Amino acid sequence: MDAIRLRGGNRFSGVIPIAGAKNAALPLMAASLLTDEPLRLANLPGVADIASMKNLLVTHGVAVANGEAAGEASFDASGVRDTTAPYDLVRRMRASVLVLGPLVARFGRARVSLPGGCAIGTRPIDLHLEALRRLGAEIDLVDGYVEARAPRRLAGADFTFPSVSVGATENALMAACLARGESVLRNAAREPEIVDLGRCLIAMGATIEGLGTDVLSIQGTDRLRGARHRVIADRIEAGTYAIAASMAGGDVTLEGANPETLRALLDTLAGSGVEIAENGDRLRVVSPGGNTAGMDLVTQPYPGFPTDLQAQIMSLTTVASGASRITETIFENRFMHVPELLRMGADIRVRGATALIRGVSRLKGAEVMATDLRASVSLILAGLVAEGETVVNRIYHLDRGYESIEAKLAACGADIERIAAPA
Ligand code: EPZ
């Protein structure tokens, strides 16, 4: 297992190209199951989760062909013969459950393993199943698998999500596109990745209104066609590097970022003394480094402060001037980075879903352990400013969602390298 070694203290300046959004690409790839014509995607990020989803689609019988340019691939589901998503694949990547809606909508059946929990929480899929049941699917749980059937095609429904769920909204949105009649999905998630999925579905012939709002109206159709679609930029990658520049100090331009999708973070950083300049899809972050002002924030569904940037912003607060409070409302166990940050000399106290952080003048490098994707990157950020050397182990978590992170950071002056983990 690889590790990443950093030596902290360098200022951070340069240009970072932002990759396509992992959390948009995954549902977009699943959407290829909705049609028997090729779906061509561009700007797919080179991260492990994309490879995992390609692998799952291939087991279903989707013909996946990489395009000429990096990040391009076509997905042809005309030959799908197997509607089972096996436990061994689903347990490795929860987003595999996004094949459930498309499979049952197009083929009238699906057998998808329950994903099981992960480091940040139990992460049930009851909202996915409730939405599909309202669309007419018969659903049983058998031997750890969801067995879904729609012998007479799905039927449009008016459904209100009891709580906001990105994945459940995506599964229901995709399924409703092939249901008979109109569907209305209320209390739907509004993340930019869902808007991107909706735009692609419309290009495939779907009729969808309300993208970007919490009420989605879908007019079902008998079939969808192939399309070409470019994945939006990854707002979480961009936000991660904006926080890195804010911590280390420097002048960084994020190329391809869409500031509109990062409003909550950018307002938070500006409020703590970081200079932000927006110029189309170039986002410039200038910071004196360290002693940014403390903050009090609560993670919320979009457009609130994203839970996927919570661990990263907490790293920033560990070296901010003064006290900060961070409340995590989306996942029940998303403070796994705290024990590792404490080992680097951070001053953090967790009370239930709230962490109280007092800024320290300097973190100390240490050997630390990654536990999940965003926790691992928060340790990288801490290592950028810590005194001495930091080694982050189990960085396979990192490779799931960050493309070439050490190359991008080194290009901005970070003293960072990937090493074979000490035996
Ligand atoms: C998506 O996960 C993202 N993953 C997550 O990003 C992100 O943290 C999350 O949305 C919230 O923004 C992808 O898009 C692939 P949810 P998802 O359904 O869809 C509970 C990353 O780091 N819930 O919005 O699984 C759930 O347990 C990953 O890139 C139910 O109770 O998130 C959680 O507490 C991590 N029942 C809350 O809702 C359900 O049926 C929000 O989950 C579904 C969810």
Side-chain angles (χ1 to χ4, degrees):
M1 277 190 278
D2 288 352
I4 281 187
R5 176 165 56 202
L6 308 97
R7 288 183 190 79
N10 293 4
R11 284 182 67 78
F12 197 61
S13 295
V15 178
I16 298 182
I18 299 303
K22 162 180 86 82
N23 290 351
L26 293 169
L28 285 165
M29 293 163 75
S32 66
L33 291 163
L34 290 166
T35 175
D36 59 2
E37 296 179 8
L39 176 62
R40 293 181 172 80
L41 298 176
N43 201 32
L44 291 165
V47 296
D49 274 7
I50 299 305
S52 301
M53 182 60 90
K54 283 182 180 177
N55 185 26
L56 173 62
L57 293 173
V58 166
T59 61
H60 287 310
V62 175
V64 179
N66 292 331
E68 288 84 50
E72 283 183 358
S74 69
F75 302 83
D76 179 344
S78 57
V80 166
R81 57 193 180 284
D82 182 338
T83 57
T84 293
Y87 172 65
D88 188 47
L89 295 182
V90 177
R91 72 182 176 86
R92 295 168 199 269
M93 185 184 63
R94 301 180 37 74
S96 306
V97 294
L98 293 172
V99 302
L100 177 59
L103 286 172
V104 72
R106 174 150 168 247
F107 300 100
R109 68 187 188 285
R111 183 169 175 271
V112 175
S113 170
L114 284 165
C118 74
I120 62 178
T122 54
R123 301 188 69 185
I125 61 167
D126 54 311
L127 298 174
H128 299 239
L129 304 184
E130 205 177 321
L132 292 174
R133 282 196 178 98
R134 284 301 307 277
L135 289 167
E138 297 158 16
I139 290 182
D140 296 307
L141 299 186
V142 179
D143 301 334
Y145 278 75
V146 174
E147 299 205 344
R149 291 170 305 287
R152 288 183 311 285
R153 194 176 164 200
L154 294 177
D158 188 322
F159 175 70
T160 300
F161 286 98
S163 62
V164 176
S165 161
V166 172
T169 299
E170 291 166 341
N171 249 329
L173 173 61
M174 290 189 281
C177 288
L178 288 183
R180 192 176 51 252
E182 182 179 16
S183 296
V184 180
L185 303 178
R186 301 177 195 277
N187 198 27
R190 301 163 51 187
E191 271 67 4
E193 293 75 29
I194 294 173
V195 174
D196 199 37
L197 172 64
R199 287 195 181 124
C200 180
L201 292 166
I202 289 169
M204 294 166 69
T207 303
I208 302 170
E209 289 175 11
L211 287 176
T213 76
D214 61 354
V215 180
L216 299 174
S217 301
I218 304 103
Q219 194 61 43
T221 182
D222 293 345
R223 63 186 297 277
L224 293 175
R225 55 179 181 264
R228 289 176 182 280
H229 183 81
R230 182 178 176 78
V231 181
I232 54 168
D234 193 321
R235 62 191 168 102
I236 303 302
E237 185 195 24
T240 301
Y241 291 127
I243 294 168
S246 304
M247 289 175 74
D251 181 343
V252 167
T253 296
L254 306 175
E255 224 168 36
N258 176 357
E260 270 322 299
T261 63
L262 274 167
R263 203 46 68 206
L265 172 70
L266 298 180
D267 291 350
T268 300
L269 292 178
S272 63
V274 176
E275 270 178 62
I276 309 280
E278 302 176 20
N279 177 8
D281 67 351
R282 292 168 70 86
L283 186 61
R284 189 173 169 199
V285 179
V286 181
S287 165
N291 63 15
T292 47
M295 56 191 68
D296 183 353
L297 64 84
V298 182
T299 62
Q300 296 285 1
Y302 192 86
F305 192 92
T307 176
D308 289 351
L309 287 174
Q310 179 259 105
Q312 299 93 310
I313 201 82
M314 188 182 290
S315 282
L316 171 64
T317 63
T318 65
V319 290
S321 58
S324 297
R325 181 168 57 180
I326 296 177
T327 303
E328 171 59 56
T329 69
I330 307 295
F331 289 106
E332 68 266 29
N333 186 34
R334 206 169 195 178
F335 285 151
M336 305 282 279
H337 41 290
V338 169
E340 301 304 306
L341 289 171
L342 291 175
R343 298 190 62 242
M344 297 178 73
D347 179 349
I348 307 171
R349 288 172 181 72
V350 173
R351 297 274 181 282
T354 295
L356 296 171
I357 307 105
R358 289 191 186 291
V360 296
S361 53
R362 191 92 196 262
L363 294 174
K364 301 272 186 297
E367 186 161 358
V368 290
M369 188 74 71
T371 52
D372 60 270
L373 170 56
R374 308 303 175 181
S376 50
V377 84
S378 79
L379 301 176
I380 298 284
L381 299 186
L384 287 176
V385 301
E387 184 181 348
E389 181 176 280
T390 297
V391 175
V392 181
N393 289 300
R394 295 191 182 173
I395 56 163
Y396 58 86
H397 291 290
L398 206 56
D399 294 335
R400 296 189 53 175
Y402 288 93
E403 183 184 86
S404 319
I405 183 164
E406 66 269 28
K408 293 186 178 184
L409 291 174
C412 288
D415 181 348
I416 182 171
E417 58 183 334
R418 184 178 287 247
I419 57 174

